[in-house]
Amino acid sequence: MNQVIFNHELTPLFLQVVNEKLAACLVPSDAPIPTENFRSLVQLRDRVIRRALKQMDSEVEKAFAAKELEINDKLEKLARGLLDSAKDEAVQYSRGRAALKKYK
């Protein structure tokens, strides 16, 4: 996965920090994606966005919300991809285990 960008010109500073940590979870490596960390960062991101929305005036709030909806769509696609990959790995593991039992 190339550089994933979750920030835009209206992103508050603390949300930028959360987004950077979230993007770091998604950097390709040999290690599996830390799903628990990913989940907690997504939840933290949601809380930060909700708090930021409460502090904005209506025009900025609308613009910020529109940009965040686009980013949330990206995140949802990434999360679905991770889920699909995990399902595929589980199926392959199960099939491999079944194949090994045949040789015993």
Side-chain angles (χ1 to χ4, degrees):
M1 192 173 309
N2 292 337
Q3 183 180 7
V4 179
I5 299 174
F6 299 123
N7 295 329
H8 49 81
E9 67 274 1
L10 298 175
T11 304
L13 184 60
F14 188 68
L15 183 55
Q16 290 178 18
V17 173
V18 174
N19 287 341
E20 288 172 14
K21 290 181 180 182
L22 190 57
C25 282
L26 300 171
V27 172
S29 70
D30 293 335
I33 293 176
T35 54
E36 186 59 34
N37 191 27
F38 179 80
R39 185 183 64 77
S40 65
L41 286 169
V42 168
Q43 289 174 338
L44 176 60
R45 185 177 188 284
D46 179 60
R47 288 192 302 271
V48 171
I49 290 170
R50 288 175 189 268
R51 186 173 3 124
L53 285 169
K54 289 179 183 177
Q55 297 171 353
M56 295 176 178
D57 64 37
S58 63
E59 287 185 30
V60 175
E61 179 184 11
K62 287 178 185 178
F64 177 76
K67 293 192 179 291
E68 284 302 317
L69 279 174
E70 292 174 17
I71 292 170
N72 280 342
D73 288 343
K74 288 181 191 177
L75 268 173
E76 183 180 358
K77 287 178 185 174
L78 287 169
R80 286 184 194 270
L82 293 174
L83 179 61
D84 290 343
S85 294
K87 285 179 182 178
D88 290 343
E89 286 178 26
V91 167
Q92 293 299 326
Y93 174 77
S94 178
R95 288 180 182 161
R97 226 171 79 193
L100 283 175
K101 285 182 181 180
K102 289 180 182 180
Y103 292 108
K104 285 186 177 182

